[in-house]
């Protein structure tokens, strides 16, 4: 049932404040100002020397965001790869180390094969899945659910934001276990996390502006997405979302990689979507925006009021997100990224819920 929405994807985008809130309530002791996992994990984060993450598609991008969180909040080294590579790489994995797999469906063939490989190496396996009865959930040594509810649209939206929510909670839990986060810092992170559903609701109100912007984007043959830090995997996710439902060619890049090649593509016909909350790397991203502007590129900034006031460049548009703690930015910024892809595809008359050539669950290699 799509409710009063035209597509499941629209419904699922709009459900995010609610399902992220529900997921948070499952992982956070609000009164205590700390993460409280629903069950004890059968390994100790303090004893790990490394975390290996594997997943496919959007779930892989959630893992890429989480790498920044595990490294900065828990000082835990992370390696991460797409599951179609992990399963054949013959990577040496330490016995008693930890492999984390992320999957909405819990049935993705490559992710399942990577999980089995990790087990064969004597690793603990932890899965973050949206379907708790799935094969991946059953075969992992521990499972943390995302409480997104059934996701029907082929393009993953609410499962992604719920994956990010669980991953941030897990990184905070790991940071405490590893003696990196003291109670005051943990409480501050929880304070930021519990504002997220409200911030997502606010982000959803920018839909009218994004619809206008989508008309412009729909004329493009190629679109570039740029970001630094956690906004880099968000750029990858933005590009994936746009290409899978609108069939416009889109690429995501780390903003600092621009001058190592992709800048050659830039001219007036290429919209450049810059994802840049006012965080510790914002100024660095502005210097990349200047490089784009100098070559006639048309910049769309997905950022905040402070950043918009500071950069001083001509832009095609600015999508203004609410002020927030940069640590939670990926969860909130997922909203405009999804809406831009959605409205572009709808404007072009594409079937957003059933895009060509794609299946909701990829159970074959
Ligand atoms: O069910 P999974 O999370 O394991 O699926 C992984 C990918 O197939 C999935 O995220 C895919 O990339 C989506 N179509 C992205 O919108």
């Amino acid at each position: 049932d799509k409710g009063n929405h035209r597509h499941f994807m629209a419904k699922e985008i709009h459900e995010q404040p609610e399902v992220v809130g529900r997921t948070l309530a499952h992982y956070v002791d609000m009164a205590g100002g700390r993460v409280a996992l629903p069950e004890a994990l059968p390994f100790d984060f303090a004893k790990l020397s490394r975390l290996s993450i594997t997943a496919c598609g959007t779930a892989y991008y959630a893992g890429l965001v989480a790498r920044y969180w595990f490294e900065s909040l828990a000082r835990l080294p992370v390696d991460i790869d797409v599951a179609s590579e992990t399963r054949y790489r013959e990577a040496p994995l330490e016995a008693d180390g930890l492999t984390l797999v992320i999957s909405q469906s819990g049935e993705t063939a490559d992710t399942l094969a990577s999980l089995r490989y990790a087990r064969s190496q004597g690793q603990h396996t932890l899965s973050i899945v949206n379907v708790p009865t799935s094969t991946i959930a059953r075969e992992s040594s521990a499972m943390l659910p995302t409480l997104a509810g059934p996701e029907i649209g082929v393009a993953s939206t609410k499962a992604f934001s719920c994956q990010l929510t669980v991953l941030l909670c897990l990184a905070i839990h790991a940071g405490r276990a590893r003696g990196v986060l003291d109670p005051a810092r943990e409480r501050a992170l929880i304070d930021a996390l519990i504002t997220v559903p409200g911030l997502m609701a606010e982000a959803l109100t920018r839909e009218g502006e994004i619809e206008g912007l989508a008309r412009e984007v729909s004329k493009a043959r190629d679109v570039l997405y740029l970001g630094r830090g956690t906004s880099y995997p968000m750029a990858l996710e933005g590009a994936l979302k746009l290409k899978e439902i609108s069939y416009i060619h889109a690429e995501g890049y780390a903003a600092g990689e621009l001058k190592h090649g992709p800048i050659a593509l830039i001219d007036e016909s290429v919209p450049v979507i810059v994802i840049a909350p006012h965080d510790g790397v914002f100024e660095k991203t502005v210097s990349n925006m200047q490089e784009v502007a100098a070559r006639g590129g048309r910049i769309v900034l997905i950022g905040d009021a402070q950043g918009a006031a500071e950069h001083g460049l001509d832009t095609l548009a600015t999508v203004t997100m609410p002020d927030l703690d940069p640590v939670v930015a990926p969860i909130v910024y997922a909203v405009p990224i999804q809406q831009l892809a959605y409205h572009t595809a709808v404007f072009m008359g594409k079937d957003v819920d059933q895009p060509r050539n794609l299946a909701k669950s990829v159970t074959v290699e």
Side-chain angles (χ1 to χ4, degrees):
D1 176 20
K2 297 175 201 154
N4 45 16
H5 295 280
R6 261 177 87 185
H7 300 99
F8 283 108
M9 184 177 174
K11 172 173 177 263
E12 290 163 2
I13 289 172
H14 282 266
E15 274 174 356
Q16 289 179 108
E18 186 192 330
V19 296
V20 165
R22 191 196 303 159
T23 301
L24 269 177
H26 199 64
Y27 288 93
V28 170
D29 165 6
M30 309 269 179
R34 64 201 301 275
V35 168
L37 297 183
E39 56 179 305
L41 298 175
F43 55 83
D44 182 355
F45 271 103
K47 299 210 173 89
L48 296 180
S49 57
R50 163 168 304 275
L51 168 65
S52 300
I53 305 180
T54 190
C56 299
T58 288
Y60 167 67
Y61 296 141
L64 280 182
V65 171
R67 171 167 65 179
Y68 291 82
W69 289 332
F70 280 108
E71 293 191 339
S72 64
L73 300 176
R75 306 300 296 152
L76 178 58
V78 172
D79 74 61
I80 170 161
D81 206 351
V82 289
S84 54
E85 289 300 317
T86 306
R87 65 179 292 188
Y88 296 119
R89 255 171 53 215
E90 301 182 45
L93 299 175
E94 257 177 358
D96 291 327
L98 176 63
T99 288
L100 171 63
V101 307
I102 308 162
S103 174
Q104 187 283 128
S105 63
E107 302 295 346
T108 301
D110 285 323
T111 310
L112 176 60
S114 296
L115 168 75
R116 289 176 176 161
Y117 174 75
R119 283 182 60 167
S120 77
Q121 300 288 295
Q123 292 242 306
H124 298 287
T125 52
L126 173 62
S127 60
I128 295 178
V129 294
N130 197 43
V131 182
T133 52
S134 61
T135 313
I136 287 174
R138 280 187 278 110
E139 292 197 16
S140 344
S141 25
M143 184 271 287
L144 296 174
T146 47
L147 304 183
E151 191 182 64
I152 310 294
V154 165
S156 184
T157 54
K158 62 177 181 168
F160 176 66
S161 51
C162 288
Q163 286 161 353
L164 291 176
T165 302
V166 174
L167 286 161
L168 182 49
C169 290
L170 189 63
I172 293 169
H173 168 90
R176 183 206 312 138
R178 294 170 66 79
V180 181
L181 298 180
D182 62 25
R185 174 83 174 113
E186 180 165 1
R187 182 173 283 274
L189 287 163
I190 298 301
D191 287 346
L193 256 176
I194 60 185
T195 63
V196 165
L199 293 169
M200 293 182 100
E202 203 179 326
L204 281 164
T205 66
R206 305 291 189 271
E207 188 147 23
E209 290 159 54
I210 293 176
E211 244 183 292
L213 179 59
R215 285 168 183 259
E216 286 301 311
V217 172
S218 69
K219 295 177 202 152
R221 203 188 59 177
D222 307 287
V223 179
L224 274 183
Y225 285 76
L226 301 178
R228 281 180 185 259
T230 52
S231 298
Y232 162 42
M234 295 306 288
L236 299 173
E237 167 64 3
L240 176 67
K241 214 96 292 178
L242 185 69
K243 71 187 124 186
E244 71 179 331
I245 58 173
S246 76
Y247 319 138
I248 295 174
H249 172 240
E251 293 297 330
Y253 272 97
E257 275 289 294
L258 191 64
K259 57 171 89 53
H260 299 286
I263 199 164
L265 293 174
I266 289 178
D267 63 22
E268 314 71 51
S269 69
V270 182
V272 180
I273 318 287
V274 180
I275 301 160
H278 197 276
D279 59 12
V281 289
F282 178 74
E283 272 177 49
K284 301 287 173 194
T285 306
V286 170
S287 63
N288 305 118
M289 288 166 64
Q290 286 162 347
E291 294 160 6
V292 172
R295 284 156 188 86
R298 294 185 304 155
I299 297 167
V300 174
L301 176 66
I302 302 181
D304 53 37
Q306 198 182 346
E310 271 175 30
H311 68 68
L313 296 163
D314 276 343
T315 55
L316 175 64
T318 299
V319 181
T320 310
M321 290 291 101
D323 293 335
L324 42 69
D325 183 327
V327 77
V328 301
I331 314 176
V332 178
Y333 280 53
V335 169
I337 287 166
Q338 296 160 355
Q339 286 184 328
L340 182 58
Y342 172 78
H343 284 293
T344 303
V346 168
F347 185 70
M348 296 171 79
K350 307 298 181 201
D351 183 352
V352 295
D353 283 335
Q354 291 290 338
R356 68 184 185 201
N357 307 342
L358 293 174
K360 181 63 185 160
S361 181
V362 184
T363 53
V364 291
E365 274 195 70

